[in-house]
Amino acid sequence: MKLENTPSKDKFYMPAEFSTHEGTVMIWPVRPGSWPYEGKEAKQAFAQIARAIADSEKVWMLADEEHISEVQSEFNTDVNIIPLQINTDDAWARDVGPTCVVNGSVVRGIDWCFNAWGGDFDGLYAHWDNDDKAARIICDALNMDVYDAHPFVLEGGSIHADGEGTVIVTESCLLSKGRNPDLSKQEIEDKLKEYLGAKKVIWLPSGIYNDETNEHVDNICAFVKPAEVVLAWTDDESDPQYAMSKANLDVLEKETDAKGRNFIVHKLPIPKAPVCITAEELEGYEFEEGEDVREVGERLAASYVNFYISNGGVIVPQFGDENDCVAVEILTKLFPERKIYPIYARAIIVGGGNIHCITQQIPKGEEVCEMLQ
């Protein structure tokens, strides 16, 4: 059911990713302009991630009519992975799916306006109608009431919450001209508070260098518990990421969260060697008119911060880099109660995204839990 109020007025709020949730939504990767060579390697990575998540919760794997049988065949013995036929334009579940809010017992979804990360100004592909409709359809399929936030443009990967009133975003993304250019920074912040039940919004200046989402926060900074975050970092002052991460650290060291607590910041290194598109990978793409085109040698926005927290684990991207093990070691210490799943994620970042943005959690609530058992 479409709701007329806003979450804040109904006393709903966005929970933290580390809170218990009912399951995770993913979308099968098939778009030729995102996934080279018919997504063969990407599908293998998605399947690994889905099975890691399914060790401790449900996974709904979306696909269109043409590819739903492929999903059914891939996961026919995985009882916790549920195929769901819903059309989308690409596979970024975090960005196109509903942002879920809770009040302790009930879960509801928010349907933001999606315009492919910038619309006609600097969007990444020309047609996004199916993606924009996906959040509402997912809510209907999972029996969740939905708040319609249109025409406000927002992607799930551009917000990160602690579940206690604090939301972190980046200025580079939320103030980009392709999203809500007619709104001031304060008006955007007010909208976030109204829909996410937030009391305080922390504005970081930027995200990961060359991130084509206009630098989503989920690639640069994430909560691991209230008042405690990881921040993508490099000590190499010649790397353009250094100045970006340092500016973010300066903000975090001066700010407090919604409850007045200082932040504990854990530096999570980026890969030592830049991850770049190869000529072989470029040959496997099939770009359509109006779609963002990649180039050989293009630096990709590789970051270990885009891990995903499942009920029982933490799925950590790996890039074949010497810092892979460093990231796993740091996150193992930060999540001692969860199993760490290191998964080689080059095929996902070659698609233009990260592990975090291919997943969207559905928080646990008594009403949703009863419906979906």
Side-chain angles (χ1 to χ4, degrees):
M1 182 178 71
K2 179 180 175 181
L3 302 165
E4 298 302 325
N5 252 349
T6 63
S8 181
K9 290 178 181 177
D10 289 339
K11 301 188 184 308
F12 277 70
Y13 65 93
M14 182 181 178
E17 187 173 302
F18 48 76
S19 63
T20 303
H21 46 288
E22 180 69 20
T24 297
V25 173
M26 296 180 64
I27 305 172
W28 198 235
V30 297
R31 185 182 180 89
S34 293
W35 312 104
Y37 301 104
E38 299 181 340
K40 181 179 179 181
E41 292 187 4
K43 290 171 185 176
Q44 293 174 359
F46 273 56
Q48 281 186 279
I49 291 166
R51 291 187 172 104
I53 295 171
D55 280 349
S56 58
E57 62 188 78
K58 295 183 181 71
V59 176
W60 293 275
M61 185 66 74
L62 277 57
D64 59 18
E65 183 177 6
E66 182 181 352
H67 298 93
I68 193 66
S69 60
E70 189 176 324
V71 170
Q72 292 166 339
S73 176
E74 174 68 35
F75 300 108
N76 66 337
T77 61
D78 297 280
V79 295
N80 249 12
I81 302 177
I82 306 161
L84 195 58
Q85 185 177 318
I86 294 177
N87 291 344
T88 60
D89 297 296
D90 207 344
W92 311 115
R94 172 78 54 170
D95 287 350
V96 306
T99 296
C100 290
V101 290
V102 300
N103 71 349
S105 61
V106 178
V107 181
R108 294 173 176 174
I110 303 172
D111 179 10
W112 310 104
C113 181
F114 178 81
N115 71 352
W117 309 276
D120 294 334
F121 181 77
D122 61 353
L124 300 184
Y125 41 80
H127 307 288
W128 55 80
D129 288 350
N130 287 325
D131 279 348
D132 188 37
K133 296 173 183 175
R136 177 64 181 271
I137 297 173
I138 291 169
C139 288
D140 289 345
L142 302 186
N143 296 303
M144 290 191 295
D145 291 337
V146 60
Y147 295 99
D148 185 359
H150 286 71
F152 187 74
V153 177
L154 193 79
E155 307 93 37
S158 68
I159 50 178
H160 215 281
D162 68 349
E164 297 188 2
T166 310
V167 170
I168 298 181
V169 301
T170 63
E171 294 177 344
S172 53
C173 179
L174 267 65
L175 303 183
S176 63
K177 294 180 180 179
R179 286 176 173 79
N180 302 289
D182 295 331
L183 299 182
S184 67
K185 180 179 179 179
Q186 186 60 55
E187 288 171 327
I188 292 171
E189 180 170 319
D190 291 343
K191 185 73 71 171
L192 295 177
K193 290 178 177 178
E194 188 64 31
Y195 276 86
L196 303 178
K199 302 301 181 184
K200 187 168 186 177
V201 178
I202 307 294
W203 292 85
L204 302 181
S206 58
I208 288 290
Y209 174 72
N210 215 32
D211 186 342
E212 60 190 0
T213 65
N214 300 113
E215 302 168 20
H216 271 182
V217 72
D218 70 348
N219 221 15
I220 187 72
C221 186
F223 284 105
V224 295
K225 62 181 63 172
E228 194 164 339
V229 300
V230 290
L231 176 68
W233 187 262
T234 178
D235 288 322
D236 181 1
E237 296 186 18
S238 67
D239 190 314
Q241 186 59 51
Y242 176 82
M244 298 167 76
S245 292
K246 179 62 167 61
N248 290 337
L249 179 62
D250 291 344
V251 171
L252 291 167
E253 288 182 334
K254 294 174 184 176
E255 279 282 9
T256 58
D257 70 4
K259 294 193 172 184
R261 297 171 294 202
N262 295 319
F263 286 101
I264 298 172
V265 181
H266 302 276
K267 295 176 180 177
L268 196 58
I270 61 173
K272 195 85 169 179
V275 180
C276 302
I277 288 282
T278 66
E280 182 182 1
E281 288 165 339
L282 187 63
E283 289 177 1
Y285 291 105
E286 297 177 26
F287 299 109
E288 66 175 20
E289 185 177 352
E291 187 167 8
D292 186 57
V293 177
R294 300 192 175 284
E295 299 177 356
V296 174
E298 177 181 335
R299 177 167 167 172
L300 302 173
S303 168
Y304 301 106
V305 171
N306 61 62
F307 57 81
Y308 179 67
I309 308 171
S310 67
N311 283 336
V314 181
I315 293 82
V316 183
Q318 303 282 271
F319 305 104
D321 187 88
E322 63 181 275
N323 277 341
D324 285 1
C325 292
V326 178
V328 168
E329 182 180 353
I330 291 172
L331 292 170
T332 297
K333 292 178 180 178
L334 292 176
F335 295 99
E337 75 288 359
R338 286 179 162 93
K339 179 180 178 180
I340 303 298
Y341 296 86
I343 293 180
Y344 187 61
R346 183 180 177 89
I348 296 175
I349 197 169
V350 163
N354 53 57
I355 283 178
H356 200 254
C357 262
I358 69 169
T359 57
Q360 173 63 309
Q361 68 171 222
I362 305 296
K364 196 174 186 66
E366 293 174 6
E367 184 175 307
V368 171
C369 184
E370 291 170 1
M371 289 178 176
L372 300 179
Q373 290 297 328

mmCIF file of all heavy atoms in Angstrom, residues 11-12 23 37 47-48 53 87 95 118 127 138 205 207 211 230 233 250 259 330 348 373:
data_model
loop_
_atom_site.group_PDB
_atom_site.id
_atom_site.type_symbol
_atom_site.label_atom_id
_atom_site.label_comp_id
_atom_site.label_asym_id
_atom_site.label_seq_id
_atom_site.Cartn_x
_atom_site.Cartn_y
_atom_site.Cartn_z
ATOM 1 N N LYS A 11 7.118 7.871 12.828
ATOM 2 C CA LYS A 11 8.114 7.381 13.784
ATOM 3 C C LYS A 11 8.859 6.144 13.270
ATOM 4 O O LYS A 11 9.191 5.229 14.036
ATOM 5 C CB LYS A 11 7.479 7.124 15.154
ATOM 6 C CG LYS A 11 6.829 8.371 15.748
ATOM 7 C CD LYS A 11 6.390 8.155 17.173
ATOM 8 C CE LYS A 11 5.660 9.370 17.738
ATOM 9 N NZ LYS A 11 6.395 10.638 17.576
ATOM 10 N N PHE A 12 9.135 6.119 11.975
ATOM 11 C CA PHE A 12 9.974 5.085 11.366
ATOM 12 C C PHE A 12 11.361 5.678 11.101
ATOM 13 O O PHE A 12 11.510 6.888 10.906
ATOM 14 C CB PHE A 12 9.372 4.595 10.050
ATOM 15 C CG PHE A 12 8.298 3.546 10.231
ATOM 16 C CD1 PHE A 12 7.065 3.876 10.769
ATOM 17 C CD2 PHE A 12 8.523 2.226 9.858
ATOM 18 C CE1 PHE A 12 6.066 2.923 10.941
ATOM 19 C CE2 PHE A 12 7.554 1.264 10.023
ATOM 20 C CZ PHE A 12 6.313 1.608 10.567
ATOM 21 N N GLY A 23 16.404 -10.464 5.156
ATOM 22 C CA GLY A 23 17.053 -11.001 3.970
ATOM 23 C C GLY A 23 17.666 -9.898 3.131
ATOM 24 O O GLY A 23 17.694 -8.731 3.516
ATOM 25 N N TYR A 37 31.288 -9.869 -21.891
ATOM 26 C CA TYR A 37 31.193 -11.290 -22.254
ATOM 27 C C TYR A 37 29.975 -11.963 -21.614
ATOM 28 O O TYR A 37 30.061 -13.021 -20.997
ATOM 29 C CB TYR A 37 32.489 -12.026 -21.886
ATOM 30 C CG TYR A 37 33.695 -11.437 -22.570
ATOM 31 C CD1 TYR A 37 34.586 -10.624 -21.858
ATOM 32 C CD2 TYR A 37 33.926 -11.649 -23.930
ATOM 33 C CE1 TYR A 37 35.692 -10.052 -22.482
ATOM 34 C CE2 TYR A 37 35.035 -11.073 -24.562
ATOM 35 C CZ TYR A 37 35.907 -10.280 -23.843
ATOM 36 O OH TYR A 37 36.997 -9.713 -24.474
ATOM 37 N N ALA A 47 26.867 -15.228 -7.698
ATOM 38 C CA ALA A 47 26.430 -16.495 -7.105
ATOM 39 C C ALA A 47 27.197 -16.781 -5.811
ATOM 40 O O ALA A 47 26.614 -17.231 -4.810
ATOM 41 C CB ALA A 47 26.616 -17.631 -8.102
ATOM 42 N N GLN A 48 28.503 -16.527 -5.807
ATOM 43 C CA GLN A 48 29.307 -16.707 -4.595
ATOM 44 C C GLN A 48 28.806 -15.817 -3.466
ATOM 45 O O GLN A 48 28.672 -16.253 -2.319
ATOM 46 C CB GLN A 48 30.772 -16.385 -4.876
ATOM 47 C CG GLN A 48 31.556 -17.462 -5.574
ATOM 48 C CD GLN A 48 33.025 -17.070 -5.667
ATOM 49 O OE1 GLN A 48 33.421 -16.301 -6.541
ATOM 50 N NE2 GLN A 48 33.823 -17.572 -4.766
ATOM 51 N N ILE A 53 25.786 -14.917 1.670
ATOM 52 C CA ILE A 53 24.717 -14.242 2.418
ATOM 53 C C ILE A 53 23.680 -15.257 2.885
ATOM 54 O O ILE A 53 23.191 -15.211 4.020
ATOM 55 C CB ILE A 53 24.052 -13.157 1.550
ATOM 56 C CG1 ILE A 53 25.056 -12.049 1.223
ATOM 57 C CG2 ILE A 53 22.834 -12.568 2.271
ATOM 58 C CD1 ILE A 53 24.549 -11.050 0.194
ATOM 59 N N ASN A 87 11.507 -6.960 -13.630
ATOM 60 C CA ASN A 87 12.347 -6.328 -14.643
ATOM 61 C C ASN A 87 13.147 -5.174 -14.050
ATOM 62 O O ASN A 87 12.605 -4.346 -13.298
ATOM 63 C CB ASN A 87 11.489 -5.783 -15.788
ATOM 64 C CG ASN A 87 10.857 -6.877 -16.617
ATOM 65 O OD1 ASN A 87 11.268 -8.032 -16.549
ATOM 66 N ND2 ASN A 87 9.860 -6.517 -17.402
ATOM 67 N N ASP A 95 20.901 0.549 -5.083
ATOM 68 C CA ASP A 95 20.564 1.876 -5.612
ATOM 69 C C ASP A 95 19.139 1.979 -6.127
ATOM 70 O O ASP A 95 18.521 3.039 -6.033
ATOM 71 C CB ASP A 95 21.545 2.260 -6.717
ATOM 72 C CG ASP A 95 22.920 2.611 -6.165
ATOM 73 O OD1 ASP A 95 23.045 2.727 -4.937
ATOM 74 O OD2 ASP A 95 23.858 2.757 -6.962
ATOM 75 N N GLY A 118 22.305 10.498 -12.344
ATOM 76 C CA GLY A 118 22.541 11.818 -12.924
ATOM 77 C C GLY A 118 21.639 12.227 -14.063
ATOM 78 O O GLY A 118 21.760 13.344 -14.578
ATOM 79 N N HIS A 127 18.267 4.860 -20.523
ATOM 80 C CA HIS A 127 16.933 4.355 -20.197
ATOM 81 C C HIS A 127 16.959 3.684 -18.827
ATOM 82 O O HIS A 127 17.706 2.731 -18.613
ATOM 83 C CB HIS A 127 16.473 3.359 -21.265
ATOM 84 C CG HIS A 127 16.556 3.896 -22.664
ATOM 85 N ND1 HIS A 127 15.696 4.863 -23.144
ATOM 86 C CD2 HIS A 127 17.423 3.628 -23.667
ATOM 87 C CE1 HIS A 127 16.027 5.152 -24.396
ATOM 88 N NE2 HIS A 127 17.065 4.415 -24.737
ATOM 89 N N ILE A 138 9.241 -4.312 -5.798
ATOM 90 C CA ILE A 138 9.845 -5.152 -4.761
ATOM 91 C C ILE A 138 9.020 -5.073 -3.480
ATOM 92 O O ILE A 138 8.748 -6.093 -2.826
ATOM 93 C CB ILE A 138 11.301 -4.720 -4.493
ATOM 94 C CG1 ILE A 138 12.177 -5.055 -5.705
ATOM 95 C CG2 ILE A 138 11.847 -5.408 -3.241
ATOM 96 C CD1 ILE A 138 13.561 -4.432 -5.652
ATOM 97 N N PRO A 205 33.119 15.530 2.328
ATOM 98 C CA PRO A 205 33.329 16.245 1.066
ATOM 99 C C PRO A 205 33.267 15.358 -0.176
ATOM 100 O O PRO A 205 32.691 15.739 -1.192
ATOM 101 C CB PRO A 205 34.736 16.849 1.225
ATOM 102 C CG PRO A 205 34.962 16.924 2.691
ATOM 103 C CD PRO A 205 34.258 15.730 3.263
ATOM 104 N N GLY A 207 34.119 11.095 -2.112
ATOM 105 C CA GLY A 207 34.161 9.645 -1.978
ATOM 106 C C GLY A 207 35.453 9.078 -2.522
ATOM 107 O O GLY A 207 36.532 9.618 -2.297
ATOM 108 N N ASP A 211 34.971 7.550 -8.938
ATOM 109 C CA ASP A 211 33.730 6.789 -8.742
ATOM 110 C C ASP A 211 32.633 7.427 -9.582
ATOM 111 O O ASP A 211 32.231 8.569 -9.361
ATOM 112 C CB ASP A 211 33.346 6.807 -7.259
ATOM 113 C CG ASP A 211 32.145 5.928 -6.956
ATOM 114 O OD1 ASP A 211 31.399 5.574 -7.880
ATOM 115 O OD2 ASP A 211 31.950 5.606 -5.766
ATOM 116 N N VAL A 230 34.602 2.876 9.398
ATOM 117 C CA VAL A 230 35.823 2.645 8.623
ATOM 118 C C VAL A 230 35.863 3.699 7.527
ATOM 119 O O VAL A 230 34.824 4.124 7.003
ATOM 120 C CB VAL A 230 35.868 1.230 8.001
ATOM 121 C CG1 VAL A 230 36.054 0.184 9.072
ATOM 122 C CG2 VAL A 230 34.622 0.948 7.172
ATOM 123 N N TRP A 233 41.385 4.590 2.859
ATOM 124 C CA TRP A 233 42.573 5.400 3.147
ATOM 125 C C TRP A 233 43.773 4.968 2.313
ATOM 126 O O TRP A 233 43.887 3.795 1.930
ATOM 127 C CB TRP A 233 42.928 5.277 4.632
ATOM 128 C CG TRP A 233 44.029 6.207 5.034
ATOM 129 C CD1 TRP A 233 45.356 5.900 5.165
ATOM 130 C CD2 TRP A 233 43.904 7.606 5.322
ATOM 131 N NE1 TRP A 233 46.069 7.021 5.537
ATOM 132 C CE2 TRP A 233 45.193 8.091 5.637
ATOM 133 C CE3 TRP A 233 42.821 8.490 5.349
ATOM 134 C CZ2 TRP A 233 45.434 9.421 5.967
ATOM 135 C CZ3 TRP A 233 43.058 9.808 5.686
ATOM 136 C CH2 TRP A 233 44.347 10.260 5.985
ATOM 137 N N ASP A 250 39.256 14.792 8.345
ATOM 138 C CA ASP A 250 39.183 16.064 9.070
ATOM 139 C C ASP A 250 37.768 16.340 9.551
ATOM 140 O O ASP A 250 37.558 16.825 10.674
ATOM 141 C CB ASP A 250 39.668 17.205 8.176
ATOM 142 C CG ASP A 250 41.161 17.152 7.897
ATOM 143 O OD1 ASP A 250 41.873 16.428 8.616
ATOM 144 O OD2 ASP A 250 41.605 17.831 6.950
ATOM 145 N N LYS A 259 24.003 11.571 18.902
ATOM 146 C CA LYS A 259 23.963 11.476 20.361
ATOM 147 C C LYS A 259 25.136 12.193 21.018
ATOM 148 O O LYS A 259 25.368 12.042 22.216
ATOM 149 C CB LYS A 259 23.916 10.007 20.783
ATOM 150 C CG LYS A 259 22.622 9.317 20.368
ATOM 151 C CD LYS A 259 22.450 7.978 21.060
ATOM 152 C CE LYS A 259 21.062 7.403 20.768
ATOM 153 N NZ LYS A 259 20.817 6.145 21.513
ATOM 154 N N ILE A 330 41.740 -6.433 9.226
ATOM 155 C CA ILE A 330 41.096 -5.314 9.937
ATOM 156 C C ILE A 330 39.632 -5.613 10.205
ATOM 157 O O ILE A 330 39.128 -5.418 11.326
ATOM 158 C CB ILE A 330 41.249 -4.012 9.125
ATOM 159 C CG1 ILE A 330 42.713 -3.564 9.109
ATOM 160 C CG2 ILE A 330 40.356 -2.902 9.705
ATOM 161 C CD1 ILE A 330 42.990 -2.398 8.168
ATOM 162 N N ILE A 348 32.931 -7.608 -10.578
ATOM 163 C CA ILE A 348 31.873 -6.677 -10.169
ATOM 164 C C ILE A 348 32.311 -5.236 -10.382
ATOM 165 O O ILE A 348 31.551 -4.422 -10.920
ATOM 166 C CB ILE A 348 31.496 -6.917 -8.695
ATOM 167 C CG1 ILE A 348 30.897 -8.318 -8.548
ATOM 168 C CG2 ILE A 348 30.507 -5.853 -8.213
ATOM 169 C CD1 ILE A 348 30.611 -8.703 -7.125
ATOM 170 N N GLN A 373 7.805 -16.106 6.087
ATOM 171 C CA GLN A 373 8.248 -17.422 6.550
ATOM 172 C C GLN A 373 7.641 -18.529 5.669
ATOM 173 O O GLN A 373 6.528 -18.433 5.224
ATOM 174 C CB GLN A 373 7.853 -17.636 8.013
ATOM 175 C CG GLN A 373 8.656 -16.768 8.963
ATOM 176 C CD GLN A 373 10.131 -17.087 8.934
ATOM 177 O OE1 GLN A 373 10.535 -18.221 8.714
ATOM 178 N NE2 GLN A 373 10.950 -16.071 9.141
#
